[in-house]
Amino acid sequence: MSKLEQDQKAAPTVNGNAATPQVNGSLPHKPPKIPSTQPTEAMAQDKAAWGGFCEIESDPAFFNVMLREFGISGIRVQEVYSRNYEDFFEMAQPVHGLIFLFRYHEDPDENQENDCPKHIWFANQTQEQLCATLAMLNILNNVPGADLGPHLQSFKEFTQDFTPALKGDAVCNFQFMKTIHNSFARKIDMLDTDLRLKNKYDGAKSSKTPNKRRKFPKADDADEFYEPGMHYIALVPIGGQVWKLDGMDRQPSMVDMYTGTEIEWLKVALNDIEKRIAQYQDSVYEFGLLAVTHDPTVDYQERLVLNIKKLNTVHARLDGYGDGWSMLESDEDRNLMRSTITGAAAPLYDITREMIDEAAIDDDFLSKLDTASPEDMLKMRLDLAKSQEVFRRDLQEALDSTRSDQERADQHRFDYGPLLTTWLRMLAEQEDVLEEIVNDVKG
């Protein structure tokens, strides 16, 4: 039994309740209670007032949650485990761009354009820790016909004619985007970023050559004590060409041209990535690769909605024959229809009655239905019900993936640091408690 437990057992009682012990004839200060909301509220205030950007981990779940909160629809991010060109055929098409994570070094300036082409949206990285979101923005704003949502669409149009440097400044001051980006920040991340920036400032201030600007050492710099930071760049197909959009470069770099189908650009992009990796063949650096692809969730949902609308239409035609048509149903029909959705399914599949009513059935299906007998209609209904099993499974898997992404992001966003700091501070305020805990752990 610890000293604290002995003291509690020996404490005097009043009417069966533990009495407050006195110290030198006076009541001691009551230990502070752990605040229930203060740490979270303090973090929200800190993030809103913070001028920096946090580092984003190379986790597609975080990028997907950011995309949804940006208001973007029909686009998702997924991790690439193989750099074989053929494996990309298994992804949802089209693949809009690649985000490559690597240990940074500068590319030769001669690879860059003299000026940013008018048809390319490209922003410079003007603040640290912004490269992940910036790489994604440099892809999204170059996807033809992308549903960017009202906030990002307005931002793209507003900055379209800006120079890359001005676009970069505009990104840093885009509060809507910054709030979502920094929602992944933890207190320790913010303090670490501020300290690193202060050290860089102090180092530049004391430098003998303050006017010399170097972002990172070049690939041939022989500094065994220097380890370059991780950096994200984007590779994007634009107008029959593959472009490298690196926020640390002054201008975009055209990698090469490509011909053929939409997916052919990946051969050029993957070849460029392999060349970059080969530069580190004697090192143990890790690399990451993410693909920005079409999100099939909306397609799956629309497909299921149309299936439900067609089933309802067939039912309505069958009901026109009276109750006799049900005698034609087989056991397979009845068993399958018990699990078939014929109405709104908002809780499971985010499908509302309005979505079903607004769905448009193709003329070929209606023409076939006009000439169908009751037996033919039952066959059509059976085929629709069987197809729906596949549609429901595909949509359910996509929605489960979305929910899983949100759970991972929520877990990362919750900062236990303030809570642990408060708890440790309270323990430190109690005499000998921390010492007893340490001794108990040591055994």
Side-chain angles (χ1 to χ4, degrees):
M1 182 180 298
S2 67
K3 182 178 182 298
L4 182 60
E5 291 173 329
Q6 293 172 355
D7 292 342
Q8 290 174 340
K9 185 175 182 180
T13 59
V14 177
N15 296 329
N17 297 319
T20 303
Q22 295 190 357
V23 179
N24 296 328
S26 62
L27 292 175
H29 294 292
K30 292 183 178 180
K33 294 181 179 180
I34 296 179
S36 58
T37 59
Q38 180 180 346
T40 303
E41 292 174 354
M43 275 299 298
Q45 294 169 4
D46 291 343
K47 291 178 183 180
W50 190 41
F53 286 86
C54 70
E55 185 177 4
I56 300 294
E57 295 181 15
S58 181
D59 188 327
F62 301 163
F63 285 86
N64 285 326
V65 169
M66 291 172 65
L67 286 174
R68 286 195 298 275
E69 294 180 355
F70 285 158
I72 296 171
S73 177
I75 296 177
R76 69 188 300 267
V77 176
Q78 65 182 93
E79 191 158 10
V80 178
Y81 298 101
S82 168
R83 296 191 298 273
N84 292 325
Y85 168 73
E86 291 77 12
D87 293 335
F88 282 83
F89 286 92
E90 302 299 323
M91 295 183 179
Q93 299 298 324
V95 179
H96 301 300
L98 297 178
I99 299 176
F100 182 52
L101 175 66
F102 65 110
R103 292 282 179 186
Y104 183 80
H105 69 80
E106 287 188 65
D107 283 342
D109 291 343
E110 58 266 22
N111 293 340
Q112 301 177 30
E113 299 293 307
N114 293 326
D115 295 295
C116 182
K118 295 294 185 182
H119 66 289
I120 295 178
W121 194 99
F122 172 66
N124 290 144
Q125 182 179 338
T126 59
Q127 198 161 339
E128 287 196 345
Q129 312 289 21
L130 188 55
C131 57
T133 298
L134 192 63
M136 188 163 62
L137 288 177
N138 279 333
I139 293 175
L140 296 173
N141 287 326
N142 287 293
V143 177
D147 182 2
L148 300 178
H151 295 281
L152 199 57
Q153 184 65 42
S154 297
F155 177 79
K156 176 185 176 181
E157 294 171 358
F158 176 71
T159 59
Q160 185 65 52
D161 296 328
F162 287 11
T163 64
L166 288 178
K167 283 189 178 79
D169 288 338
V171 170
C172 292
N173 292 294
F174 188 17
Q175 192 59 46
F176 171 76
M177 183 278 299
K178 185 176 183 179
T179 299
I180 295 173
H181 177 107
N182 280 342
S183 65
F184 290 92
R186 296 168 178 168
K187 186 68 174 179
I188 189 64
D189 301 328
M190 297 161 65
L191 294 173
D192 180 66
T193 298
D194 290 344
L195 179 61
R196 186 165 57 249
L197 185 61
K198 179 182 181 301
N199 291 338
K200 283 190 175 183
Y201 172 79
D202 292 341
K205 189 176 181 181
S206 61
S207 174
K208 295 181 180 179
T209 56
N211 294 326
K212 185 178 180 181
R213 294 184 64 217
R214 284 285 297 277
K215 295 177 289 187
F216 291 97
K218 293 183 180 292
D220 56 354
D221 285 350
D223 185 351
E224 59 179 325
F225 301 106
Y226 179 83
E227 182 177 64
M230 300 300 291
H231 183 62
Y232 294 89
I233 64 171
L235 291 164
V236 195
I238 305 174
Q241 300 169 326
V242 177
W243 290 83
K244 184 197 76 166
L245 304 182
D246 180 353
M248 297 299 292
D249 292 342
R250 287 184 294 274
Q251 302 293 344
S253 299
M254 201 270 281
V255 179
D256 204 348
M257 302 183 68
Y258 71 95
T259 57
T261 60
E262 283 185 336
I263 202 172
E264 291 293 322
W265 75 272
L266 286 166
K267 292 181 179 178
V268 177
L270 292 172
N271 183 58
D272 183 72
I273 289 173
E274 293 299 333
K275 290 179 180 178
R276 294 180 181 279
I277 293 176
Q279 297 176 17
Y280 298 90
Q281 58 184 351
D282 296 329
S283 306
V284 292
Y285 292 145
E286 295 181 355
F287 305 91
L289 187 60
L290 302 173
V292 180
T293 72
H294 172 68
D295 183 3
T297 304
V298 175
D299 298 338
Y300 294 158
Q301 191 178 59
E302 291 176 351
R303 190 174 62 175
L304 181 56
V305 167
L306 182 59
N307 177 275
I308 295 172
K309 181 70 173 286
K310 288 181 176 180
L311 278 168
N312 290 340
T313 303
V314 173
H315 268 293
R317 296 291 181 92
L318 285 170
D319 287 340
Y321 289 95
D323 296 335
W325 68 267
S326 59
M327 302 296 295
L328 301 175
E329 283 188 292
S330 66
D331 291 339
E332 182 183 11
D333 290 336
R334 295 188 183 93
N335 293 333
L336 189 57
M337 291 306 299
R338 290 190 186 99
S339 60
T340 301
I341 299 173
T342 56
L348 285 177
Y349 303 109
D350 295 332
I351 292 175
T352 64
R353 170 51 62 182
E354 289 75 16
M355 295 169 64
I356 298 173
D357 293 339
E358 293 174 1
I361 299 177
D362 56 279
D363 293 336
D364 289 342
F365 181 86
L366 293 175
S367 298
K368 183 178 179 181
L369 189 60
D370 288 338
T371 58
S373 65
E375 292 83 359
D376 293 334
M377 293 182 188
L378 285 173
K379 177 65 168 58
M380 294 172 68
R381 190 185 69 159
L382 182 62
D383 292 341
L384 288 169
K386 289 179 177 179
S387 298
Q388 190 184 108
E389 290 184 313
V390 178
F391 298 164
R392 290 202 315 267
R393 184 195 64 218
D394 291 343
L395 180 56
Q396 188 64 62
E397 290 177 355
L399 293 175
D400 287 345
S401 176
T402 298
R403 296 184 185 105
S404 176
D405 289 345
Q406 189 65 56
E407 289 175 2
R408 285 181 59 82
D410 291 343
Q411 291 170 2
H412 183 86
R413 281 169 165 169
F414 189 85
D415 189 358
Y416 293 91
L419 175 63
L420 293 174
T421 301
T422 303
W423 177 67
L424 289 172
R425 185 173 64 247
M426 292 177 62
L427 284 178
E429 292 172 355
Q430 310 301 309
E431 284 190 35
D432 302 330
V433 172
L434 280 179
E435 183 179 352
E436 290 183 15
I437 293 175
V438 172
N439 292 333
D440 288 343
V441 172
K442 289 181 177 180

